[in-house]
Amino acid sequence: MSNRFGSVIANVLSVGTRGLGYFLWGLLRIVYRGDLKMIALFGGVIGAIALVIWLIAR
């Protein structure tokens, strides 16, 4: 039982770490290159998250 719980926690943390890595990569790309595609991507993702939160909260 504890091995299964540990593996679930490890997988969740692995996915979270990968997400954080992609976020930091994109943020650094925006800061250092001013890449318009990445700015649009971040804006779209933030807008989508805000829309989902707004729809759930309603």
Side-chain angles (χ1 to χ4, degrees):
M1 180 79 171
S2 64
N3 277 345
R4 187 174 180 100
F5 181 70
S7 66
V8 169
I9 294 296
N11 283 330
V12 168
L13 290 175
S14 174
V15 169
T17 302
R18 181 175 296 199
L20 179 63
Y22 282 134
F23 173 77
L24 291 175
W25 173 78
L27 190 64
L28 288 172
R29 190 166 172 173
I30 288 171
V31 168
Y32 287 111
R33 291 188 180 178
D35 192 358
L36 293 178
K37 287 181 184 177
M38 290 303 291
I39 294 170
L41 176 67
F42 266 61
V45 169
I46 291 170
I49 291 171
L51 178 65
V52 168
I53 290 172
W54 180 72
L55 288 172
I56 291 172
R58 270 187 42 179

